[in-house]
């Protein structure tokens, strides 16, 4: 399996396309991570609310425990302080819930920003490369098969006409020479097909 063409021009184009594809994927990932960090800053109020709620709940709980030691009225004093401590706990839970929500949104956004553009880049870049690799493997297999050069010559005759004009034309034309099995014409035509595929004759 050949990953790159043997002809310099096509190989250069393939290398440039590979570098551009990898660069675009790297930029996509970097951008997605920047967006993720920006979204995660929205969780800061949740962290502050959680911290404040935990601190408030702890302080009021301590105050309730201290108030419960007051003779006769300790129980009455402790109940409102415990209720306020529960409110602090609710504030802490709300802050934690906000952080979880922001974290989920950041994760889903990051995945979407990486997967969708990367899939699009791969569709434009990798699919043609894989198609070229398979086509090149088929061409090489034809060349190595008995009568393969003859088939490649036929492919050149049925392909674009402009490259054929650059070949020396024997008496009767290229098609007639191919039908007669002229080895020089077959070699020239098969070499043309190979070059078009990015392979050396």
């Amino acid at each position: 399996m050949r990953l790159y063409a043997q002809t310099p021009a096509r190989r250069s184009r393939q290398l440039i396309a590979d570098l551009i594809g990898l660069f675009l994927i790297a930029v996509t990932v970097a951008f997605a991570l920047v967006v993720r960090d920006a979204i995660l800053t929205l969780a800061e109020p949740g962290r502050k609310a959680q911290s404040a709620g935990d601190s408030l709940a702890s302080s009021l709980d301590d105050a309730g425990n201290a108030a419960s030691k007051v003779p006769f009225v300790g129980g009455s004093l402790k109940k409102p302080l415990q209720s306020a401590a529960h409110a602090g706990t609710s504030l802490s839970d709300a802050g934690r819930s906000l952080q979880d929500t922001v974290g989920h949104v950041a994760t889903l956004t990051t995945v979407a920003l990486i997967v969708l553009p990367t899939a699009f880049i791969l569709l434009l870049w990798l699919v043609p490369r894989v198609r070229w690799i398979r086509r090149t493997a088929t061409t090489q297999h034809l060349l190595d098969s008995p009568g393969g050069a003859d088939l490649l010559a036929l492919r050149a005759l049925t392909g674009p006409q402009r490259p054929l004009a650059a070949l020396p034309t024997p008496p009767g034309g290229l098609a007639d020479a191919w039908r007669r099995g002229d080895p020089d014409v077959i070699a020239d035509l098969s070499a043309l097909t190979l070059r078009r595929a990015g392979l050396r004759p």
Side-chain angles (χ1 to χ4, degrees), residues 24-90:
L24 290 176
I25 290 174
V27 168
T28 296
V29 172
F31 175 73
L33 294 178
V34 168
V35 172
R36 176 181 176 274
D37 291 342
I39 293 174
L40 287 176
T41 59
L42 299 176
E44 186 60 27
R47 281 190 286 273
K48 290 180 179 178
Q50 180 184 353
S51 177
D54 288 341
S55 177
L56 180 63
S58 177
S59 298
L60 290 173
D61 194 48
D62 290 344
N65 289 333
S68 67
K69 297 177 183 176
V70 176
F72 305 112
V73 292
S76 300
L77 292 174
K78 182 178 181 179
K79 285 181 182 178
L81 291 173
Q82 282 182 330
S83 297
H86 289 313
T89 302
S90 297

Side-chain angles (χ1 to χ4, degrees), residues 52-140:
D54 288 341
S55 177
L56 180 63
S58 177
S59 298
L60 290 173
D61 194 48
D62 290 344
N65 289 333
S68 67
K69 297 177 183 176
V70 176
F72 305 112
V73 292
S76 300
L77 292 174
K78 182 178 181 179
K79 285 181 182 178
L81 291 173
Q82 282 182 330
S83 297
H86 289 313
T89 302
S90 297
L91 176 62
S92 175
D93 291 343
R96 189 177 296 108
S97 177
L98 176 61
Q99 291 178 76
D100 291 342
T101 301
V102 171
H104 290 317
V105 170
T107 300
L108 290 175
T109 303
T110 304
V111 170
L113 287 176
I114 290 175
V115 170
L116 295 178
T118 300
F120 182 70
I121 292 168
L122 291 177
L123 189 65
L124 292 179
W125 162 56
L126 196 58
V127 170
R129 283 300 308 279
V130 171
R131 191 178 297 132
W132 178 87
I133 290 170
R134 293 177 63 183
R135 189 168 58 241
T136 304
T138 301
T139 301
Q140 187 66 55

